[in-house]
Amino acid sequence: MISLAGRDILHTWGKFVFTGIGLGLLIGVTLVMAGVYRGMVDDAMVLLDNSGADLWVVQKDTQGPYAESSSLYDDTWRGIAAMPGVASATDITYLTMQVRATNHGEPRDVRAMVVGIAPDGPGSAGWPPYLVAGRQITRSHYEAVADIASGFKLGDTLQIRRNRYTVVGLTRRMVSSNGDPMVFIPLKDAQQAQFLKDNEAILQQRRRTAENPAFNRPGVPGLLDAVIASQSTNNYVNAVLVRIKPGYTADEVAAPIRRWKRLTVFTRAQMQNILVNKLIATASRQIGMFMVILAIVSAAIVAFIIYTLTMDKIREIAVLKLIGTRNRTIAAMIMQQALALGLIGFAVGKITATFAAPLFPKFVLLMPGDSIAGFFAVMVICALASVVAIRMALKVDPAEAIGG
Amino acid sequence: MAAQGIRIEGLKKRYGSGDTAVDALKGVDMEVAPGEVVGLVGPSGSGKSTLLKCLGAVIDPSAGRMTLGDAVIYDQGWKARDLRALRRDKIGFVFQAPYLIPFLDVTDNVALLPMLAGVPNAEARKRALELLTALDVQHRAKAMPSQLSGGEQQRVAIARGLVNRPPVILADEPTAPLDSKRAMAVIRILNDMAKKYETAIIVVTHDEKILPTFKRIYHIRDGVTHEEAGEGRGFD
């Protein structure tokens, strides 16, 4: 038996191809949307992986350092390092801000997450685990390693708050959960960038403190200087990254830190839950809504096209029925056309998504599994969309071919 | 009565019921022998189309009896379980317009019927080509219907009606869109095919120019048929 659907498609291939391309662009957008979501999840996972930590110790009752602000004294790590099962404890700061590159033509602002890393050396928690160009930070101040997605180049000068930093190394796939590229600078510099006030504010604060009789007592020399000194120092970090010794579980190590240091400690699973299920939950729902709308629009387009194509063939369908064609042959013809349309659309969509994904500013991760699921979803949508046309075709009276 | 052919006895068809009931056929009697071509004429609304639909197993008659060859196909109800198979295997149709399937080439338009009946594609195409040769359109075998002239399309439609060797062919105004010369050619072909394949052919027509070619004509008026002898003049 010849394929009626195949012959009809060949006969009206132009209509099919152009409709398939239109549908394919919609499917491509849907696949890219799925890729955006996957990219967000992957960014979150990369953030956790590249931090090199087993535990995140943060300010009590906060969900820092990625989801909420968190402040700890920068000597907290010492006590944590002495806790059972702790292999290392490292201070770290995170600050998302506009970083300005100043030495290549026009100044250029890049949204980046500035990470302050403790001077423990490469391989320590928080440090970029690998570089694609240049070297790691070796000086205590004013050097930076940037993610290549920032667009910064080796030797670029970055303006972060009041200080300038030279890019000495480039790394890859070091991004925040929002997809912003990371810029690593020494911890002390990062503390200043995050907590140090500007000169005018410091002067104002000194004046206020000096005019406070509680701090400026005639009989207590040195008190005012001590208070001002404590106000001017920046001894806070956002979190302490902990690596645990072999043979210990994360929960075993986390429990005494929570109990004795009265701090909040997250294991990797908990931090993953915060990043994926809380931080990007709204965005993923938003993307999900878009995907549902796109699926409905795609189904409506397929249904409309197949319905129109079937309407154009009412007389032929009546003739086919009159000469003895079974209903299932006619239904199969219509459904095969819908599936062929879906196939063309998916192929165009997949190619479009593959070529368009790298052009997006944020990481778009096209998973083979999503493509396979998308393919079956498209086929199901097309099959369902053909139902209206099939119902109409089955209602066609073979007597219409005779007329009268 | 011959071994093949079609016989209709007391065929009735009523549309609706009660006060709004309309008797489209009030007791039609007809008999067409194998190899015979008869005309069926009548004014608009006389019941021609209804009779054709009943004969074509497209609508259910209300009463009567129809015999196709040796088999009774209707006697107060259809005897065949599968009317589609009955139409496909036992009844050929030729329409006013050819109604060829536009996305199939000429060969496949004709071969589709045997394929639907389960005949292998190669065998079905062979049968189709034989008929196309008999109808002198074999040179257009690979053409699409849109590339054919009106006369060629009608010949392909006749080939489609004949391809399953049905005992009866119902032709609904097959010459209506054609000029005199082509109309005569189509009627000649129908007569030739009827003789060659021992097929009974009923031609529904309004076409005055082809009426003299029939040896027998059934007139239908108000749902009743009257037989009369035709001139049987030939086709020139």
Side-chain angles (χ1 to χ4, degrees), chain A residues 284-333:
Chain A
S284 67
R285 278 200 297 274
Q286 183 103 332
I287 289 169
M289 281 297 294
F290 269 116
M291 288 173 69
V292 168
I293 290 167
L294 287 169
I296 291 170
V297 171
S298 303
I301 289 174
V302 175
F304 176 73
I305 294 297
I306 294 297
Y307 183 82
T308 309
L309 288 172
T310 307
M311 284 292 284
D312 290 345
K313 289 196 289 280
I314 286 293
R315 180 70 80 172
E316 286 79 18
I317 288 169
V319 172
L320 284 170
K321 290 176 110 175
L322 185 68
I323 64 178
T325 309
R326 288 181 183 153
N327 276 344
R328 69 164 179 258
T329 306
I330 293 168
M333 175 180 79

Side-chain angles (χ1 to χ4, degrees), chain A residues 322 402, chain B residues 6-9 11 25 28-32 38 40 47-61 65-68 73-74 78 83 86-87 90-93 168-171 201-204:
Chain A
L322 185 68
I402 294 177
Chain B
I6 186 164
R7 182 157 61 175
I8 302 154
E9 298 160 272
L11 196 71
L25 301 178
V28 170
D29 296 308
M30 262 180 108
E31 187 173 351
V32 188
V38 301
L40 176 64
K48 293 193 304 293
S49 292
T50 301
L51 178 58
L52 213 58
K53 287 172 186 172
C54 289
L55 297 178
V58 176
I59 60 172
D60 298 333
R65 180 183 164 92
M66 286 196 284
T67 310
L68 203 57
I73 60 167
Y74 186 89
W78 292 106
L83 293 182
L86 175 73
R87 288 199 298 267
K90 303 287 184 191
I91 304 165
F93 294 92
V168 64
I169 286 184
L170 307 175
I201 299 180
I202 299 170
V203 179
V204 176

Side-chain angles (χ1 to χ4, degrees), chain A residues 1-2 4 7-8 11 313 315-316 319-327 333 399 401-404, chain B residues 49 52-53 58 84 87-88 93 95 99 101-104 108 112-113 115-116 121 125 144 160 172:
Chain A
M1 181 65 191
I2 53 177
L4 294 175
R7 296 300 183 85
D8 193 20
H11 185 66
K313 289 196 289 280
R315 180 70 80 172
E316 286 79 18
V319 172
L320 284 170
K321 290 176 110 175
L322 185 68
I323 64 178
T325 309
R326 288 181 183 153
N327 276 344
M333 175 180 79
I402 294 177
Chain B
S49 292
L52 213 58
K53 287 172 186 172
V58 176
R84 282 176 196 276
R87 288 199 298 267
R88 186 186 64 212
F93 294 92
F95 311 106
Y99 296 146
I101 308 299
F103 49 84
L104 297 180
D108 284 342
L112 180 63
L113 258 87
M115 287 177 186
L116 289 172
N121 288 6
R125 289 200 175 103
M144 299 305 283
R160 182 174 64 184
D172 184 16

Side-chain angles (χ1 to χ4, degrees), chain B residues 34-229:
Chain B
E36 187 183 18
V37 181
V38 301
L40 176 64
V41 296
S44 192
S46 59
K48 293 193 304 293
S49 292
T50 301
L51 178 58
L52 213 58
K53 287 172 186 172
C54 289
L55 297 178
V58 176
I59 60 172
D60 298 333
S62 305
R65 180 183 164 92
M66 286 196 284
T67 310
L68 203 57
D70 293 331
V72 176
I73 60 167
Y74 186 89
D75 190 0
Q76 311 303 324
W78 292 106
K79 299 297 172 191
R81 213 180 284 169
D82 185 354
L83 293 182
R84 282 176 196 276
L86 175 73
R87 288 199 298 267
R88 186 186 64 212
D89 301 333
K90 303 287 184 191
I91 304 165
F93 294 92
V94 179
F95 311 106
Q96 181 173 344
Y99 296 146
L100 300 177
I101 308 299
F103 49 84
L104 297 180
D105 65 22
V106 164
T107 308
D108 284 342
N109 255 288
V110 179
L112 180 63
L113 258 87
M115 287 177 186
L116 289 172
V119 175
N121 288 6
E123 171 61 23
R125 289 200 175 103
K126 193 177 155 199
R127 267 198 225 173
L129 275 172
E130 278 173 18
L131 270 168
L132 292 172
T133 306
L135 289 161
D136 199 25
V137 275
Q138 75 282 6
H139 60 290
R140 310 306 307 269
K142 290 292 162 200
M144 299 305 283
S146 58
Q147 298 168 318
L148 303 181
S149 68
E152 286 172 333
Q153 287 189 21
Q154 199 57 295
R155 275 185 276 167
V156 174
I158 292 169
R160 182 174 64 184
L162 284 163
V163 71
N164 271 350
R165 307 277 195 274
V168 64
I169 286 184
L170 307 175
D172 184 16
E173 308 217 28
T175 60
L178 304 176
D179 58 34
S180 302
K181 196 175 166 190
R182 285 188 177 140
M184 281 302 181
V186 166
I187 291 300
R188 182 202 300 269
I189 289 166
L190 286 175
N191 274 276
D192 291 347
M193 294 297 121
K195 287 193 182 76
K196 185 170 181 182
Y197 297 108
E198 286 289 288
T199 306
I201 299 180
I202 299 170
V203 179
V204 176
T205 186
H206 277 113
D207 196 345
E208 298 269 329
K209 57 188 175 284
I210 65 167
L211 284 179
T213 65
F214 298 114
K215 287 182 181 155
R216 286 199 303 136
I217 297 173
Y218 284 93
H219 286 270
I220 185 166
R221 185 181 291 275
D222 297 330
V224 180
T225 49
H226 308 281
E227 184 187 342
E228 69 174 43

Side-chain angles (χ1 to χ4, degrees), chain A residues 23-237:
Chain A
L23 180 66
L25 294 176
L26 265 178
I27 292 170
V29 172
T30 311
L31 289 175
V32 168
M33 295 292 275
V36 168
Y37 170 72
R38 293 290 184 193
M40 288 165 69
V41 172
D42 194 67
D43 283 348
M45 295 298 107
V46 162
L47 178 62
L48 298 183
D49 288 341
N50 291 344
S51 70
D54 299 313
L55 297 174
W56 285 257
V57 181
V58 298
Q59 183 181 341
K60 190 167 174 59
D61 298 330
T62 70
Q63 297 201 335
Y66 309 119
E68 290 179 6
S69 65
S70 155
S71 290
L72 298 173
Y73 284 112
D74 60 5
D75 57 358
T76 306
W77 68 273
R78 294 176 189 277
I80 294 169
M83 302 293 286
V86 175
S88 70
T90 310
D91 283 339
I92 196 147
T93 65
Y94 295 103
L95 175 64
T96 300
M97 60 181 295
Q98 295 296 118
V99 175
R100 174 168 289 194
T102 55
N103 64 335
H104 281 295
E106 285 291 304
R108 191 167 60 88
D109 274 356
V110 174
R111 185 89 183 150
M113 179 184 254
V114 175
V115 184
I117 48 176
D120 296 352
S124 305
W127 280 62
Y130 55 87
L131 298 181
V132 293
R135 59 169 175 81
Q136 294 277 11
I137 294 169
T138 54
R139 295 180 184 169
S140 304
H141 295 286
Y142 312 129
E143 286 190 342
V145 169
D147 184 274
I148 201 162
S150 65
F152 299 142
K153 294 180 175 58
L154 291 177
D156 275 4
T157 303
L158 309 182
Q159 178 87 38
I160 298 173
R161 295 281 193 257
R162 289 187 295 184
N163 298 322
R164 291 183 175 187
Y165 299 80
T166 303
V167 177
V168 296
L170 295 173
T171 184
R172 190 190 293 277
R173 288 296 293 134
M174 298 294 292
V175 292
S176 74
S177 58
N178 285 331
D180 298 324
M182 285 181 173
V183 174
F184 296 86
I185 60 173
L187 181 68
K188 285 292 175 191
D189 291 350
Q191 284 178 296
Q192 281 198 353
Q194 189 170 161
F195 300 108
L196 188 64
K197 297 182 176 71
D198 60 81
N199 290 343
E200 184 60 30
I202 292 170
L203 278 173
Q204 290 282 350
Q205 190 179 40
R206 284 179 183 167
R207 194 172 298 143
R208 283 165 187 264
T209 307
E211 287 176 7
N212 187 333
F215 298 136
N216 196 3
R217 293 181 187 174
V220 190
L223 174 62
L224 179 62
D225 290 341
V227 170
I228 288 172
S230 74
Q231 287 175 338
S232 306
T233 52
N234 312 292
N235 49 356
Y236 291 101
V237 292

